[in-house]
Amino acid sequence: MRVGVLALQGDFREHLFALEECGVNASIVRRPSELATVDALVLPGGESTAIANLARSFDMFEPLRARISAGMPVYGSCAGMILLADRVLDAAVGQETFGGLDITVRRNAFGRQVDSFETDLDFVGITNPPVRAVFIRAPWVESVGHSVEVLATIEHAVAVRQGGLLATSFHPELTGDNRIHRFFIESVARPALEKAAVK
Ligand code: GLN
């Protein structure tokens, strides 16, 4: 499996490193030709408005939207969660997302209370020890569609999954614990790609 990391802005290097540690073939993606070579993608944390605007400038917006709606597995962390969301509250004026995930996120939701914090999290399927989650001006998930599974909650959902799409409000790439990336590869992306292959 080739896994790309969208490298327009944000902490893409940390995701690349985490994926490499998981033993997959990982590469950065900045252009449509690079997107075409990957089976799955990570949307990193950073600034969702900047990433969306750069995607427009690099002629990546429509190709990304098309691949996601065609079923490419994607993991979005923080800003990446916002970019996957179908609906955004407290969005910047004119803010666009790639969409695909049937959730409503509230941007900078935790940021209005505390800019950043860390906590131990119960994550469905990943326990013992709990996941140490780093939140940085993070969104939360305000509501989910019926086909979305909530994997972790702090008052609101902070990790969700819908088919081949996974999103977390927090940044697992900053802790050196690769269990979320491994979960994405083995339990989200691989089954989604296998299911698509037999169709
Ligand atoms: N607040 C940022 C946004 O709206 C997300 C922050 C992050 O990715 N750490 O895009």
Side-chain angles (χ1 to χ4, degrees):
M1 187 192 313
R2 290 183 65 99
V3 185
V5 182
L6 187 67
L8 299 175
Q9 191 266 342
D11 71 337
F12 52 88
R13 285 179 200 84
E14 287 79 0
H15 281 285
L16 205 59
F17 190 63
L19 290 168
E20 279 165 357
E21 284 207 322
C22 293
V24 291
N25 192 339
S27 59
I28 62 165
V29 167
R30 287 205 175 102
R31 300 170 192 288
S33 58
E34 292 164 343
L35 178 63
T37 67
V38 299
D39 304 303
L41 189 70
V42 172
L43 301 176
E47 187 56 48
S48 54
T49 51
I51 295 173
N53 291 339
L54 287 164
R56 282 270 175 229
S57 310
F58 280 66
D59 291 328
M60 282 293 277
F61 200 94
E62 293 309 331
L64 280 163
R65 195 173 249 181
R67 278 298 299 277
I68 297 168
S69 65
M72 173 177 65
V74 184
Y75 166 42
S77 161
C78 202
M81 169 189 262
I82 298 169
L83 288 162
L84 278 179
D86 282 342
R87 295 165 298 277
V88 184
L89 302 173
D90 294 336
V93 176
Q95 178 167 5
E96 295 182 290
T97 70
F98 306 131
L101 195 49
D102 185 12
I103 59 172
T104 302
V105 296
R106 187 174 291 280
R107 200 171 161 234
N108 299 332
F110 290 108
R112 289 176 303 177
Q113 300 165 350
V114 271
D115 249 16
S116 66
F117 65 99
E118 290 185 33
T119 190
D120 285 335
L121 205 60
D122 289 326
F123 192 104
V124 172
I126 306 179
T127 48
N128 199 22
V131 171
R132 187 76 183 160
V134 179
F135 293 81
I136 304 167
R137 290 183 61 74
W140 67 42
V141 180
E142 197 124 329
S143 64
V144 303
H146 64 271
S147 53
V148 176
E149 185 188 356
V150 174
L151 301 172
T153 303
I154 306 177
E155 287 181 49
H156 293 81
V158 294
V160 292
R161 180 219 177 137
Q162 178 189 350
L165 302 178
L166 173 71
T168 63
S169 302
F170 54 91
H171 292 267
E173 74 284 6
L174 299 180
T175 60
D177 176 355
N178 297 324
R179 287 178 298 165
I180 302 281
H181 289 82
R182 223 172 270 281
F183 175 79
F184 171 61
I185 293 160
E186 298 305 335
S187 304
V188 178
R190 203 180 294 286
L193 290 168
E194 280 166 5
K195 205 168 149 191
V198 295
K199 268 191 185 157

